[in-house]
Amino acid sequence: MKDMIAYCGLNCEKCDAYLATIHDDQVLREKTAKLWAELNQAPILPEHINCQGCRVEGVKTVFCDSLCEIRQCALKKGVATCGDCPELENCQIVGAVISNNPEALENLKRN
């Protein structure tokens, strides 16, 4: 479980991309691609919805792999999660996730 907490504190095991990948669920891939495309106003297709978690080896969505500013920052700083960063409380990069999802902050403090 600990490795499935993303750099931002979200639980990868609850992510639809992760669930679609581990269950090889094409219907969930299609539903997630449609929702994410609308939310991000981007051409996200079902074949883009494959992810095994942002902190573990394996396939990741394009966003999680190379576009997520939070993941890139954590990798650059060499921290396991944002919870290990001394700038967590004032960080604008991860701040939006934490403010919209209190569980993420709890996960970061726990790990």
Side-chain angles (χ1 to χ4, degrees), residues 4-78:
M4 296 311 292
I5 298 301
Y7 292 103
C8 64
L10 293 176
N11 184 343
C12 291
E13 291 179 327
K14 294 180 179 180
C15 175
D16 286 342
Y18 173 81
L19 293 170
T21 302
I22 64 164
H23 297 295
D24 194 21
D25 185 336
Q26 189 61 24
V27 172
L28 183 55
R29 273 191 191 96
E30 291 169 5
K31 176 184 162 194
T32 303
K34 182 179 182 199
L35 175 64
W36 289 9
E38 290 170 3
L39 289 173
N40 296 290
Q41 298 178 348
I44 299 172
L45 303 173
E47 54 266 28
H48 299 149
I49 306 300
N50 288 294
C51 193
Q52 294 173 319
C54 82
R55 292 183 37 223
V56 298
E57 291 295 320
V59 67
K60 293 164 189 27
T61 66
V62 171
F63 177 80
C64 295
D65 187 42
S66 55
L67 300 176
C68 176
E69 190 176 5
I70 296 167
R71 183 173 187 269
Q72 296 306 312
C73 179
L75 289 171
K76 182 179 173 185
K77 290 183 177 185

Side-chain angles (χ1 to χ4, degrees), residues 5-7 55 74 78-82 84:
I5 298 301
Y7 292 103
R55 292 183 37 223
V79 295
T81 69
C82 294
D84 295 328

